[in-house]
């Protein structure tokens, strides 16, 4: 049986829920198809000690402030999952969990959405599948020669899994710094942190609020035809969240340059130095999960789908939400996704 709706939203994480909120306000008939068995998107899978880099009220989706978490200024991932589950219920959003979309195809006036539980014929599609399911590992010489354990951020849980071991953490972004700090502060793990360029910490009093304010100021300047104020990238790469600050100030977070290659027993640098390792944790980022859109043939050589705001340039019935700044400033953050979600819902309402 083929279901018919105005809009299918693919992905039911924060971006998919924000889309649902605004589609409802446009009185559109929609459904959200989410591969995950439960609400919460990627937040269900973060490592144990992860906390947001902004206070709760600055991490809210449209319509409902995230409540504060007792005893925490920066809520943990479990609190975000609870908030998203409550958000889905409170707004009675029609999310079908456990439904993976395998393909979206053009079929006459419609877009045909093929999921593992059925077919949906839609007049428009919002893709909000995030990046968590596509961890990126760089091609590094000797990677397959290393006989220890290799894992990506998506598989890291806690230092307890590495007690008494030597661990190399690769990556100079937030996840690399936080993972290295988590392991180093534990005191039972020998950590070597490597980064491609010297780590760039944001000022200690900057958190996600500052990043959002800077991204907003830049968007306004560009919209009003003023000089580009420069985005968040110019501020640094690493938010100095409390554990990162603590590890750095204790001298536990000193980065080495990237190694030249891996050998069976560890990492080797170009100057001949060597670090034995039992495990390598790759905190090397993600790519957008866009495989379901392959039949539409929209990807550029960079692997992104070119957009004007959220709308795909090559398919006006398709919008992309979340993923990164290329679908709207701060679109891949809790507080930032509301605005592009509103724009996408309005554009779809106009189109239909
Ligand atoms: P996701 O949360 O990944 O949700 C996508 C959903 O789509 C998932 O449920 C998935 O199962 C589903 N899906 C995927 N493919 C398909 C398919 N083919 N068919 C159907 N469903 C599919 N942001 C902040 O605002 N504050 C922070 O402090 C913060 N910290 C972060 C820390 C880390 C380590 C990371 C990685 C990110 C952080 N972010 C933070 C960024 C951002 O908020 C998250 O990445 C967020 O999870 C993105 O939401 P999303 O809805 O776009 O994607």
């Amino acid at each position: 049986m083929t279901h018919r709706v105005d809009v299918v939203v693919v992905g039911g994480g924060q971006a998919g829920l924000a889309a649902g909120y605004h589609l409802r306000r446009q009185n559109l008939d929609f459904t959200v198809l989410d591969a995950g068995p439960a609400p919460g998107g990627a937040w269900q899978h973060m490592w144990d000690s992860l906390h947001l880099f902004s206070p709760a009220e600055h991490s809210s989706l449209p319509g409902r402030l995230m409540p504060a978490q007792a005893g925490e200024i920066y809520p943990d991932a479990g609190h975000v999952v609870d908030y998203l589950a409550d958000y889905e219920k409170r707004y009675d959003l029609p999310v079908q969990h456990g439904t993976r979309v395998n393909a979206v195809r053009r079929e006459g006036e419609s877009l045909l959405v093929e999921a593992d539980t059925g077919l949906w014929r839609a007049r428009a599609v919002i893709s909000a599948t995030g990046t968590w399911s596509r961890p990126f590992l760089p091609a590094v010489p000797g990677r397959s020669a290393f006989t220890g354990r290799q894992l990506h951020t998506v598989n890291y849980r806690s230092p307890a899994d590495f007690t008494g071991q030597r661990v190399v953490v690769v990556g100079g972004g937030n996840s690399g710094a936080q993972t290295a700090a988590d392991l180093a502060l534990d005191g039972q793990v020998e950590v070597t942190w490597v980064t491609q360029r010297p780590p760039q910490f944001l000022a200690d009093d900057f958190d996600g609020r500052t990043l959002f304010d800077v991204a907003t100021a830049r968007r306004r300047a560009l919209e009003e035809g003023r000089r580009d104020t420069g985005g968040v990238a110019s501020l640094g790469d690493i938010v100095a969240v409390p554990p990162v600050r603590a590890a750095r100030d204790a001298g536990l977070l000193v980065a080495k340059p990237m190694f030249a290659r891996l050998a069976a027993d560890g990492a080797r640098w170009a100057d001949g130095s060597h670090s034995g390792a039992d495990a390598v944790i790759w905190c090397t980022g993600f790519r957008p999960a866009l495989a379901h859109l392959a039949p539409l043939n929209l990807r550029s050589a960079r692997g992104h789908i070119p957009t004007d705001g959220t709308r795909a340039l090559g398919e006006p019935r398709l919008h992309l939400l979340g993923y990164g700044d290329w679908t709207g400033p701060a679109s891949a953050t809790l507080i930032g996704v509301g605005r592009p979600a509103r724009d996408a819902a309005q554009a779809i309402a106009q189109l239909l």
Side-chain angles (χ1 to χ4, degrees), residues 66-89:
M66 181 187 286
Q69 182 176 17
E72 304 282 358
I73 297 172
Y74 299 101
D76 62 23
H79 187 72
V80 184
V81 172
D82 292 346
Y83 168 72
L84 295 178
D86 174 71
Y87 190 94
E88 189 179 311
K89 218 158 101 189

PDB file of all heavy atoms in Angstrom, residues 66-89:
ATOM      1  N   MET A  66      13.947  24.188  26.748  1.00  0.00           N
ATOM      2  CA  MET A  66      14.445  22.993  27.446  1.00  0.00           C
ATOM      3  C   MET A  66      14.497  23.315  28.942  1.00  0.00           C
ATOM      4  O   MET A  66      15.079  24.326  29.333  1.00  0.00           O
ATOM      5  CB  MET A  66      15.855  22.636  26.945  1.00  0.00           C
ATOM      6  CG  MET A  66      16.425  21.392  27.618  1.00  0.00           C
ATOM      7  SD  MET A  66      18.148  21.079  27.174  1.00  0.00           S
ATOM      8  CE  MET A  66      17.995  20.479  25.499  1.00  0.00           C
ATOM      9  N   PRO A  67      13.874  22.481  29.786  1.00  0.00           N
ATOM     10  CA  PRO A  67      13.961  22.756  31.224  1.00  0.00           C
ATOM     11  C   PRO A  67      15.394  22.569  31.713  1.00  0.00           C
ATOM     12  O   PRO A  67      16.164  21.820  31.101  1.00  0.00           O
ATOM     13  CB  PRO A  67      13.028  21.710  31.846  1.00  0.00           C
ATOM     14  CG  PRO A  67      12.851  20.668  30.816  1.00  0.00           C
ATOM     15  CD  PRO A  67      13.138  21.256  29.472  1.00  0.00           C
ATOM     16  N   ALA A  68      15.743  23.259  32.799  1.00  0.00           N
ATOM     17  CA  ALA A  68      17.089  23.087  33.358  1.00  0.00           C
ATOM     18  C   ALA A  68      17.207  21.669  33.912  1.00  0.00           C
ATOM     19  O   ALA A  68      16.200  21.061  34.288  1.00  0.00           O
ATOM     20  CB  ALA A  68      17.318  24.099  34.464  1.00  0.00           C
ATOM     21  N   GLN A  69      18.423  21.152  33.946  1.00  0.00           N
ATOM     22  CA  GLN A  69      18.662  19.845  34.578  1.00  0.00           C
ATOM     23  C   GLN A  69      19.148  20.098  36.010  1.00  0.00           C
ATOM     24  O   GLN A  69      20.097  20.883  36.205  1.00  0.00           O
ATOM     25  CB  GLN A  69      19.712  19.051  33.797  1.00  0.00           C
ATOM     26  CG  GLN A  69      19.969  17.676  34.386  1.00  0.00           C
ATOM     27  CD  GLN A  69      20.940  16.844  33.546  1.00  0.00           C
ATOM     28  OE1 GLN A  69      21.659  17.365  32.703  1.00  0.00           O
ATOM     29  NE2 GLN A  69      20.965  15.550  33.807  1.00  0.00           N
ATOM     30  N   ALA A  70      18.524  19.440  36.960  1.00  0.00           N
ATOM     31  CA  ALA A  70      18.880  19.673  38.364  1.00  0.00           C
ATOM     32  C   ALA A  70      20.379  19.493  38.574  1.00  0.00           C
ATOM     33  O   ALA A  70      20.951  18.474  38.159  1.00  0.00           O
ATOM     34  CB  ALA A  70      18.097  18.706  39.258  1.00  0.00           C
ATOM     35  N   GLY A  71      21.014  20.480  39.186  1.00  0.00           N
ATOM     36  CA  GLY A  71      22.425  20.383  39.557  1.00  0.00           C
ATOM     37  C   GLY A  71      23.409  20.581  38.411  1.00  0.00           C
ATOM     38  O   GLY A  71      24.607  20.440  38.612  1.00  0.00           O
ATOM     39  N   GLU A  72      22.920  20.866  37.198  1.00  0.00           N
ATOM     40  CA  GLU A  72      23.825  21.014  36.050  1.00  0.00           C
ATOM     41  C   GLU A  72      23.537  22.327  35.325  1.00  0.00           C
ATOM     42  O   GLU A  72      22.384  22.618  35.014  1.00  0.00           O
ATOM     43  CB  GLU A  72      23.616  19.876  35.025  1.00  0.00           C
ATOM     44  CG  GLU A  72      23.762  18.471  35.560  1.00  0.00           C
ATOM     45  CD  GLU A  72      25.206  18.060  35.723  1.00  0.00           C
ATOM     46  OE1 GLU A  72      26.102  18.853  35.382  1.00  0.00           O
ATOM     47  OE2 GLU A  72      25.439  16.946  36.221  1.00  0.00           O
ATOM     48  N   ILE A  73      24.568  23.095  35.026  1.00  0.00           N
ATOM     49  CA  ILE A  73      24.357  24.271  34.161  1.00  0.00           C
ATOM     50  C   ILE A  73      24.263  23.789  32.717  1.00  0.00           C
ATOM     51  O   ILE A  73      23.394  24.207  31.956  1.00  0.00           O
ATOM     52  CB  ILE A  73      25.517  25.278  34.315  1.00  0.00           C
ATOM     53  CG1 ILE A  73      25.534  25.799  35.749  1.00  0.00           C
ATOM     54  CG2 ILE A  73      25.387  26.432  33.317  1.00  0.00           C
ATOM     55  CD1 ILE A  73      26.732  26.654  36.082  1.00  0.00           C
ATOM     56  N   TYR A  74      25.176  22.868  32.367  1.00  0.00           N
ATOM     57  CA  TYR A  74      25.194  22.315  31.007  1.00  0.00           C
ATOM     58  C   TYR A  74      24.596  20.902  31.057  1.00  0.00           C
ATOM     59  O   TYR A  74      25.229  19.982  31.600  1.00  0.00           O
ATOM     60  CB  TYR A  74      26.632  22.262  30.480  1.00  0.00           C
ATOM     61  CG  TYR A  74      27.279  23.632  30.401  1.00  0.00           C
ATOM     62  CD1 TYR A  74      28.178  24.069  31.371  1.00  0.00           C
ATOM     63  CD2 TYR A  74      26.970  24.506  29.365  1.00  0.00           C
ATOM     64  CE1 TYR A  74      28.756  25.333  31.306  1.00  0.00           C
ATOM     65  CE2 TYR A  74      27.538  25.771  29.290  1.00  0.00           C
ATOM     66  CZ  TYR A  74      28.431  26.177  30.266  1.00  0.00           C
ATOM     67  OH  TYR A  74      28.986  27.429  30.197  1.00  0.00           O
ATOM     68  N   PRO A  75      23.396  20.700  30.529  1.00  0.00           N
ATOM     69  CA  PRO A  75      22.735  19.388  30.647  1.00  0.00           C
ATOM     70  C   PRO A  75      23.522  18.275  29.965  1.00  0.00           C
ATOM     71  O   PRO A  75      24.305  18.528  29.042  1.00  0.00           O
ATOM     72  CB  PRO A  75      21.407  19.603  29.903  1.00  0.00           C
ATOM     73  CG  PRO A  75      21.213  21.068  29.822  1.00  0.00           C
ATOM     74  CD  PRO A  75      22.571  21.683  29.803  1.00  0.00           C
ATOM     75  N   ASP A  76      23.267  17.046  30.414  1.00  0.00           N
ATOM     76  CA  ASP A  76      23.927  15.910  29.760  1.00  0.00           C
ATOM     77  C   ASP A  76      23.056  15.379  28.609  1.00  0.00           C
ATOM     78  O   ASP A  76      21.919  15.836  28.401  1.00  0.00           O
ATOM     79  CB  ASP A  76      24.289  14.817  30.774  1.00  0.00           C
ATOM     80  CG  ASP A  76      23.067  14.203  31.476  1.00  0.00           C
ATOM     81  OD1 ASP A  76      21.949  14.278  30.926  1.00  0.00           O
ATOM     82  OD2 ASP A  76      23.257  13.645  32.578  1.00  0.00           O
ATOM     83  N   ALA A  77      23.594  14.415  27.880  1.00  0.00           N
ATOM     84  CA  ALA A  77      22.907  13.922  26.675  1.00  0.00           C
ATOM     85  C   ALA A  77      21.577  13.250  27.023  1.00  0.00           C
ATOM     86  O   ALA A  77      20.596  13.366  26.275  1.00  0.00           O
ATOM     87  CB  ALA A  77      23.816  12.963  25.916  1.00  0.00           C
ATOM     88  N   GLY A  78      21.534  12.575  28.175  1.00  0.00           N
ATOM     89  CA  GLY A  78      20.291  11.915  28.592  1.00  0.00           C
ATOM     90  C   GLY A  78      19.166  12.927  28.782  1.00  0.00           C
ATOM     91  O   GLY A  78      18.001  12.655  28.452  1.00  0.00           O
ATOM     92  N   HIS A  79      19.529  14.098  29.278  1.00  0.00           N
ATOM     93  CA  HIS A  79      18.533  15.153  29.478  1.00  0.00           C
ATOM     94  C   HIS A  79      17.992  15.629  28.113  1.00  0.00           C
ATOM     95  O   HIS A  79      16.803  15.905  27.970  1.00  0.00           O
ATOM     96  CB  HIS A  79      19.185  16.313  30.231  1.00  0.00           C
ATOM     97  CG  HIS A  79      18.231  17.390  30.648  1.00  0.00           C
ATOM     98  ND1 HIS A  79      17.311  17.213  31.654  1.00  0.00           N
ATOM     99  CD2 HIS A  79      18.042  18.654  30.177  1.00  0.00           C
ATOM    100  CE1 HIS A  79      16.601  18.323  31.808  1.00  0.00           C
ATOM    101  NE2 HIS A  79      17.016  19.213  30.915  1.00  0.00           N
ATOM    102  N   VAL A  80      18.876  15.692  27.128  1.00  0.00           N
ATOM    103  CA  VAL A  80      18.433  16.102  25.785  1.00  0.00           C
ATOM    104  C   VAL A  80      17.482  15.046  25.200  1.00  0.00           C
ATOM    105  O   VAL A  80      16.458  15.376  24.603  1.00  0.00           O
ATOM    106  CB  VAL A  80      19.633  16.333  24.831  1.00  0.00           C
ATOM    107  CG1 VAL A  80      19.147  16.841  23.482  1.00  0.00           C
ATOM    108  CG2 VAL A  80      20.628  17.308  25.436  1.00  0.00           C
ATOM    109  N   VAL A  81      17.810  13.779  25.409  1.00  0.00           N
ATOM    110  CA  VAL A  81      16.932  12.705  24.912  1.00  0.00           C
ATOM    111  C   VAL A  81      15.540  12.843  25.548  1.00  0.00           C
ATOM    112  O   VAL A  81      14.512  12.769  24.856  1.00  0.00           O
ATOM    113  CB  VAL A  81      17.534  11.306  25.211  1.00  0.00           C
ATOM    114  CG1 VAL A  81      16.541  10.196  24.873  1.00  0.00           C
ATOM    115  CG2 VAL A  81      18.826  11.110  24.428  1.00  0.00           C
ATOM    116  N   ASP A  82      15.512  13.074  26.859  1.00  0.00           N
ATOM    117  CA  ASP A  82      14.215  13.226  27.547  1.00  0.00           C
ATOM    118  C   ASP A  82      13.449  14.422  26.980  1.00  0.00           C
ATOM    119  O   ASP A  82      12.235  14.366  26.778  1.00  0.00           O
ATOM    120  CB  ASP A  82      14.419  13.445  29.061  1.00  0.00           C
ATOM    121  CG  ASP A  82      14.963  12.192  29.732  1.00  0.00           C
ATOM    122  OD1 ASP A  82      14.927  11.113  29.099  1.00  0.00           O
ATOM    123  OD2 ASP A  82      15.449  12.301  30.870  1.00  0.00           O
ATOM    124  N   TYR A  83      14.169  15.500  26.738  1.00  0.00           N
ATOM    125  CA  TYR A  83      13.534  16.717  26.194  1.00  0.00           C
ATOM    126  C   TYR A  83      12.948  16.443  24.801  1.00  0.00           C
ATOM    127  O   TYR A  83      11.806  16.823  24.506  1.00  0.00           O
ATOM    128  CB  TYR A  83      14.585  17.833  26.145  1.00  0.00           C
ATOM    129  CG  TYR A  83      14.188  19.056  25.353  1.00  0.00           C
ATOM    130  CD1 TYR A  83      13.225  19.947  25.828  1.00  0.00           C
ATOM    131  CD2 TYR A  83      14.790  19.340  24.120  1.00  0.00           C
ATOM    132  CE1 TYR A  83      12.870  21.074  25.093  1.00  0.00           C
ATOM    133  CE2 TYR A  83      14.448  20.460  23.390  1.00  0.00           C
ATOM    134  CZ  TYR A  83      13.489  21.320  23.878  1.00  0.00           C
ATOM    135  OH  TYR A  83      13.143  22.434  23.152  1.00  0.00           O
ATOM    136  N   LEU A  84      13.707  15.747  23.967  1.00  0.00           N
ATOM    137  CA  LEU A  84      13.222  15.473  22.606  1.00  0.00           C
ATOM    138  C   LEU A  84      12.027  14.506  22.632  1.00  0.00           C
ATOM    139  O   LEU A  84      11.071  14.662  21.868  1.00  0.00           O
ATOM    140  CB  LEU A  84      14.352  14.924  21.724  1.00  0.00           C
ATOM    141  CG  LEU A  84      15.511  15.902  21.463  1.00  0.00           C
ATOM    142  CD1 LEU A  84      16.603  15.241  20.626  1.00  0.00           C
ATOM    143  CD2 LEU A  84      15.031  17.173  20.770  1.00  0.00           C
ATOM    144  N   ALA A  85      12.093  13.519  23.527  1.00  0.00           N
ATOM    145  CA  ALA A  85      10.965  12.570  23.638  1.00  0.00           C
ATOM    146  C   ALA A  85       9.709  13.315  24.092  1.00  0.00           C
ATOM    147  O   ALA A  85       8.609  13.104  23.560  1.00  0.00           O
ATOM    148  CB  ALA A  85      11.316  11.460  24.631  1.00  0.00           C
ATOM    149  N   ASP A  86       9.878  14.219  25.044  1.00  0.00           N
ATOM    150  CA  ASP A  86       8.747  15.005  25.538  1.00  0.00           C
ATOM    151  C   ASP A  86       8.226  15.950  24.448  1.00  0.00           C
ATOM    152  O   ASP A  86       7.008  16.119  24.281  1.00  0.00           O
ATOM    153  CB  ASP A  86       9.198  15.807  26.766  1.00  0.00           C
ATOM    154  CG  ASP A  86       8.107  16.745  27.241  1.00  0.00           C
ATOM    155  OD1 ASP A  86       7.107  16.236  27.773  1.00  0.00           O
ATOM    156  OD2 ASP A  86       8.225  17.976  27.052  1.00  0.00           O
ATOM    157  N   TYR A  87       9.131  16.514  23.685  1.00  0.00           N
ATOM    158  CA  TYR A  87       8.763  17.455  22.602  1.00  0.00           C
ATOM    159  C   TYR A  87       7.899  16.740  21.556  1.00  0.00           C
ATOM    160  O   TYR A  87       6.864  17.243  21.127  1.00  0.00           O
ATOM    161  CB  TYR A  87      10.057  17.978  21.978  1.00  0.00           C
ATOM    162  CG  TYR A  87       9.900  19.128  21.001  1.00  0.00           C
ATOM    163  CD1 TYR A  87      10.024  20.443  21.424  1.00  0.00           C
ATOM    164  CD2 TYR A  87       9.676  18.889  19.641  1.00  0.00           C
ATOM    165  CE1 TYR A  87       9.912  21.502  20.517  1.00  0.00           C
ATOM    166  CE2 TYR A  87       9.563  19.933  18.743  1.00  0.00           C
ATOM    167  CZ  TYR A  87       9.688  21.242  19.186  1.00  0.00           C
ATOM    168  OH  TYR A  87       9.569  22.276  18.280  1.00  0.00           O
ATOM    169  N   GLU A  88       8.353  15.544  21.190  1.00  0.00           N
ATOM    170  CA  GLU A  88       7.623  14.740  20.196  1.00  0.00           C
ATOM    171  C   GLU A  88       6.186  14.465  20.677  1.00  0.00           C
ATOM    172  O   GLU A  88       5.228  14.554  19.909  1.00  0.00           O
ATOM    173  CB  GLU A  88       8.409  13.436  20.014  1.00  0.00           C
ATOM    174  CG  GLU A  88       7.940  12.572  18.896  1.00  0.00           C
ATOM    175  CD  GLU A  88       8.809  11.311  18.784  1.00  0.00           C
ATOM    176  OE1 GLU A  88      10.053  11.401  18.776  1.00  0.00           O
ATOM    177  OE2 GLU A  88       8.217  10.222  18.710  1.00  0.00           O
ATOM    178  N   LYS A  89       6.066  14.126  21.974  1.00  0.00           N
ATOM    179  CA  LYS A  89       4.766  13.786  22.549  1.00  0.00           C
ATOM    180  C   LYS A  89       3.884  15.030  22.730  1.00  0.00           C
ATOM    181  O   LYS A  89       2.717  15.047  22.358  1.00  0.00           O
ATOM    182  CB  LYS A  89       4.997  13.138  23.922  1.00  0.00           C
ATOM    183  CG  LYS A  89       4.034  12.011  24.206  1.00  0.00           C
ATOM    184  CD  LYS A  89       4.567  11.084  25.249  1.00  0.00           C
ATOM    185  CE  LYS A  89       3.897  11.424  26.580  1.00  0.00           C
ATOM    186  NZ  LYS A  89       4.517  10.717  27.683  1.00  0.00           N
TER     187      LYS A  89
END
